Amino acid sequence: MFLMDNPVLHRELLVNLRMTRAFVLLLVYIGLLGLVVYTAWPSQARLDLSRRPEVAARLVDSFF
């Protein structure tokens, strides 16, 4: 693949992803995604989207 063979891109990704800022940004991003999942998760024990399509639509809207 062309992107994998690019030595400049490869070096930049290695250098930038080793920085503390990249770690913190990824941690914040994963935390926000976890918060979205936690707040959007239905309160029922089992999720049956075939009987309640409005729940399915709300769940899809919250993710996309």
Side-chain angles (χ1 to χ4, degrees), residues 17 19-33:
L17 288 178
M19 297 172 63
T20 306
R21 180 180 51 159
F23 176 75
V24 170
L25 286 175
L26 284 172
L27 186 66
V28 168
Y29 178 68
I30 290 172
L32 287 174
L33 286 179

Side-chain angles (χ1 to χ4, degrees), residues 8-46:
V8 175
L9 179 63
H10 190 252
R11 181 187 177 283
E12 288 294 322
L13 286 175
L14 280 176
V15 169
N16 288 333
L17 288 178
R18 288 182 180 159
M19 297 172 63
T20 306
R21 180 180 51 159
F23 176 75
V24 170
L25 286 175
L26 284 172
L27 186 66
V28 168
Y29 178 68
I30 290 172
L32 287 174
L33 286 179
L35 184 65
V36 167
V37 169
Y38 183 74
T39 57
W41 200 263
S43 60
Q44 300 168 338
R46 180 163 184 219

Side-chain angles (χ1 to χ4, degrees), residues 41-54:
W41 200 263
S43 60
Q44 300 168 338
R46 180 163 184 219
L47 182 61
D48 188 13
L49 298 177
S50 63
R51 293 185 182 160
R52 296 183 53 198
E54 67 276 354

